Amino acid sequence: MKTEILLSYTLFCIFGLGSAFAQEDPKILFEQKCSVCHLKQRPAYEEMKTLIAPPIMGVMTHVKDAKATKIDAVNFIADYIFEPTPAKALCMKQSIERFGLMPSQKGNLSKEEAISVAGYLYENFGY
Ligand code: HEC
């Protein structure tokens, strides 16, 4: 009996927590590395004036409009994070005019983290 409990507890720790972390990680990454500039929720009226970047659901709608598959979208985002240029930008021209080009996040997160956060954004925002 005791061993059974111990065993299921161990399995819970390995699989339960493991998968919880796998899901939490990119979300936390986004909160730490991106949400300083990109709001996650639709901005309230007063927030509109103080925005410093387009909210992420709008960004993801543009990305999904332009990229046919998840792989294309993730590759685009993971690249843009490190090397943003006006030529690559998919968002409306007015966004860059209003907010300026996104500063490169080189050194702020790793390539793996960029891919992981991009996948999370694709699954959770836009449409
Ligand atoms: C210092 C503020 C800032 C941070 C931090 C930031 N961004 Fe941005 N981002 C911007 C601004 C401003 C724009 C709009 C101008 C542009 O497209 O370059 C933008 C645009 C984007 C776009 C749309 C590009 C396009 O035009 O097609 C994506 C995708 C994006 N950001 C993802 C991210 C992700 C993911 C992170 C976190 C790893 C992040 N950003 C962190 C400011 C930021």
Coordinates of all heavy atoms in Angstrom, one line a residue, residues 75-110:
N75 N 8.8 30.1 -37.4 CA 10.1 30.5 -38.0 C 10.2 32.0 -38.2 O 11.2 32.7 -37.9 CB 10.3 29.9 -39.4 CG 10.8 28.4 -39.2 OD1 11.2 28.0 -38.1 ND2 10.6 27.6 -40.2
F76 N 9.1 32.6 -38.7 CA 9.1 34.1 -38.9 C 9.3 34.8 -37.5 O 10.1 35.7 -37.4 CB 7.7 34.5 -39.5 CG 7.6 36.0 -39.4 CD1 8.3 36.8 -40.3 CD2 6.8 36.6 -38.4 CE1 8.2 38.2 -40.2 CE2 6.7 38.0 -38.3 CZ 7.4 38.8 -39.2
I77 N 8.5 34.4 -36.5 CA 8.6 35.1 -35.2 C 10.0 34.9 -34.6 O 10.6 35.9 -34.2 CB 7.5 34.6 -34.2 CG1 6.1 34.9 -34.8 CG2 7.7 35.2 -32.8 CD1 5.0 34.1 -34.1
A78 N 10.5 33.7 -34.6 CA 11.8 33.4 -34.0 C 12.9 34.2 -34.7 O 13.9 34.6 -34.1 CB 12.1 31.9 -34.0
D79 N 12.8 34.4 -36.0 CA 13.7 35.2 -36.7 C 13.6 36.7 -36.4 O 14.5 37.4 -36.1 CB 13.6 35.0 -38.2 CG 14.4 36.0 -39.0 OD1 15.7 35.8 -39.0 OD2 13.9 36.9 -39.6
Y80 N 12.3 37.2 -36.4 CA 12.0 38.6 -36.2 C 12.5 39.1 -34.9 O 13.0 40.2 -34.7 CB 10.5 38.9 -36.4 CG 10.2 40.4 -36.7 CD1 10.3 40.9 -37.9 CD2 9.9 41.2 -35.6 CE1 10.1 42.2 -38.2 CE2 9.6 42.6 -35.8 CZ 9.7 43.1 -37.1 OH 9.5 44.4 -37.3
I81 N 12.3 38.3 -33.8 CA 12.7 38.6 -32.5 C 14.2 39.1 -32.4 O 14.5 40.0 -31.7 CB 12.5 37.4 -31.5 CG1 11.0 37.1 -31.3 CG2 13.2 37.6 -30.2 CD1 10.8 35.9 -30.5
F82 N 15.0 38.4 -33.2 CA 16.5 38.7 -33.2 C 16.9 39.8 -34.2 O 17.8 40.5 -34.0 CB 17.3 37.5 -33.3 CG 17.1 36.5 -32.2 CD1 16.5 35.2 -32.4 CD2 17.4 36.8 -30.9 CE1 16.3 34.4 -31.4 CE2 17.1 36.0 -29.8 CZ 16.6 34.7 -30.1
E83 N 16.2 39.7 -35.4 CA 16.6 40.7 -36.4 C 15.4 41.3 -37.1 O 15.0 41.0 -38.2 CB 17.4 39.9 -37.5 CG 18.8 39.7 -37.2 CD 19.5 38.8 -38.2 OE1 19.2 38.8 -39.3 OE2 20.5 38.1 -37.7
P84 N 14.8 42.2 -36.4 CA 13.6 42.9 -37.0 C 14.1 43.9 -38.0 O 15.1 44.6 -37.8 CB 13.0 43.7 -35.8 CG 13.9 43.5 -34.6 CD 15.1 42.7 -35.0
T85 N 13.4 43.9 -39.2 CA 13.6 45.0 -40.2 C 12.3 45.4 -40.7 O 11.3 44.6 -40.7 CB 14.5 44.4 -41.4 OG1 13.7 43.5 -42.1 CG2 15.8 43.8 -40.9
P86 N 12.2 46.6 -41.2 CA 10.9 47.1 -41.8 C 10.5 46.2 -43.0 O 9.3 46.0 -43.2 CB 11.2 48.5 -42.3 CG 12.4 48.9 -41.5 CD 13.2 47.7 -41.2
A87 N 11.4 45.7 -43.7 CA 11.1 44.9 -44.9 C 10.4 43.5 -44.5 O 9.6 43.0 -45.2 CB 12.4 44.6 -45.7
K88 N 10.9 43.0 -43.4 CA 10.3 41.7 -42.9 C 8.9 41.9 -42.3 O 8.1 41.0 -42.2 CB 11.2 41.1 -41.9 CG 12.5 40.4 -42.4 CD 13.2 39.8 -41.2 CE 14.7 39.5 -41.5 NZ 15.4 39.3 -40.3
A89 N 8.7 43.1 -41.7 CA 7.5 43.3 -40.8 C 6.2 42.9 -41.5 O 6.0 43.3 -42.7 CB 7.5 44.7 -40.3
L90 N 5.4 42.2 -40.9 CA 4.0 41.9 -41.4 C 3.0 42.8 -40.9 O 1.9 42.9 -41.5 CB 3.7 40.4 -41.0 CG 4.6 39.3 -41.4 CD1 4.2 38.0 -40.8 CD2 4.6 39.2 -43.0
C91 N 3.2 43.5 -39.8 CA 2.2 44.3 -39.3 C 2.0 45.6 -40.1 O 2.8 45.8 -41.1 CB 2.6 44.7 -37.8 SG 4.0 45.8 -37.8
M92 N 1.0 46.3 -39.8 CA 0.7 47.5 -40.7 C 1.8 48.5 -40.5 O 2.4 48.6 -39.5 CB -0.7 48.1 -40.2 CG -1.9 47.3 -40.6 SD -3.4 48.1 -40.0 CE -3.2 47.9 -38.2
K93 N 2.0 49.2 -41.6 CA 3.1 50.2 -41.7 C 2.9 51.2 -40.5 O 3.9 51.7 -40.0 CB 3.0 51.0 -43.0 CG 4.2 50.6 -44.0 CD 4.2 51.5 -45.2 CE 4.7 52.9 -44.9 NZ 4.1 53.9 -45.7
Q94 N 1.7 51.5 -40.2 CA 1.4 52.5 -39.2 C 2.0 52.1 -37.8 O 2.4 52.9 -37.0 CB -0.1 52.8 -39.0 CG -0.8 53.3 -40.2 CD -1.4 52.2 -41.0 OE1 -0.6 51.5 -41.6 NE2 -2.7 52.1 -41.0
S95 N 2.1 50.8 -37.6 CA 2.6 50.3 -36.4 C 4.1 50.7 -36.2 O 4.5 51.2 -35.1 CB 2.6 48.7 -36.3 OG 1.4 48.3 -35.8
I96 N 4.9 50.5 -37.2 CA 6.3 50.9 -37.1 C 6.4 52.4 -37.0 O 7.2 53.0 -36.3 CB 7.1 50.4 -38.3 CG1 7.1 48.8 -38.2 CG2 8.5 50.9 -38.4 CD1 7.9 48.1 -39.3
E97 N 5.5 53.2 -37.8 CA 5.6 54.6 -37.7 C 5.2 55.1 -36.3 O 5.8 56.0 -35.8 CB 4.6 55.3 -38.7 CG 5.2 55.3 -40.1 CD 4.1 55.5 -41.2 OE1 2.9 55.9 -40.9 OE2 4.4 55.2 -42.4
R98 N 4.3 54.4 -35.7 CA 3.8 54.9 -34.4 C 4.8 54.4 -33.3 O 5.1 55.2 -32.4 CB 2.4 54.3 -34.1 CG 1.9 54.6 -32.7 CD 0.5 54.3 -32.5 NE 0.1 54.4 -31.1 CZ -0.9 53.9 -30.5 NH1 -1.7 53.1 -31.2 NH2 -1.1 54.0 -29.3
F99 N 5.2 53.2 -33.3 CA 6.0 52.6 -32.2 C 7.5 52.5 -32.4 O 8.2 52.3 -31.5 CB 5.5 51.2 -31.8 CG 4.0 51.1 -31.5 CD1 3.1 50.4 -32.3 CD2 3.5 51.7 -30.4 CE1 1.8 50.2 -32.0 CE2 2.2 51.6 -30.0 CZ 1.3 50.9 -30.8
G100 N 7.8 52.7 -33.7 CA 9.2 52.4 -34.1 C 9.4 50.9 -34.3 O 8.6 50.2 -33.9
L101 N 10.6 50.6 -34.9 CA 10.8 49.2 -35.1 C 11.1 48.5 -33.8 O 11.6 49.1 -32.8 CB 12.1 49.1 -36.0 CG 12.4 47.7 -36.6 CD1 11.3 47.3 -37.6 CD2 13.8 47.8 -37.3
M102 N 10.7 47.2 -33.7 CA 10.9 46.5 -32.4 C 12.5 46.3 -32.2 O 13.2 46.0 -33.2 CB 10.3 45.1 -32.6 CG 10.7 44.1 -31.5 SD 9.6 42.7 -31.4 CE 10.7 41.5 -30.8
P103 N 13.0 46.6 -31.0 CA 14.4 46.4 -30.8 C 14.7 44.9 -30.8 O 14.0 44.1 -30.3 CB 14.6 47.0 -29.4 CG 13.3 47.3 -28.8 CD 12.2 47.1 -29.8
S104 N 15.9 44.6 -31.4 CA 16.3 43.2 -31.4 C 16.4 42.6 -29.9 O 16.9 43.3 -29.1 CB 17.6 43.0 -32.1 OG 18.2 41.7 -31.8
Q105 N 15.9 41.4 -29.8 CA 16.0 40.8 -28.4 C 17.2 39.9 -28.3 O 17.2 39.0 -27.4 CB 14.7 40.0 -28.2 CG 13.4 40.9 -28.2 CD 13.5 42.0 -27.2 OE1 13.6 41.8 -26.0 NE2 13.4 43.3 -27.7
K106 N 18.2 40.1 -29.1 CA 19.4 39.3 -29.0 C 20.0 39.4 -27.7 O 20.1 40.5 -27.1 CB 20.4 39.8 -30.1 CG 20.8 38.9 -31.2 CD 21.8 39.4 -32.1 CE 21.4 39.0 -33.5 NZ 21.9 39.9 -34.6
G107 N 20.4 38.3 -27.1 CA 21.0 38.3 -25.7 C 19.9 38.3 -24.6 O 20.2 38.0 -23.5
N108 N 18.7 38.6 -25.0 CA 17.6 38.6 -24.0 C 17.0 37.2 -23.8 O 16.5 36.9 -22.8 CB 16.5 39.6 -24.4 CG 15.5 39.9 -23.3 OD1 15.8 39.6 -22.2 ND2 14.4 40.5 -23.7
L109 N 17.0 36.5 -24.9 CA 16.6 35.1 -24.8 C 17.3 34.2 -25.9 O 17.9 34.8 -26.8 CB 15.0 34.9 -24.9 CG 14.2 35.2 -26.2 CD1 12.8 34.8 -26.0 CD2 14.3 36.7 -26.6
S110 N 17.3 32.9 -25.7 CA 18.1 32.0 -26.6 C 17.2 31.7 -27.8 O 16.0 31.9 -27.8 CB 18.5 30.7 -25.8 OG 17.3 30.0 -25.6

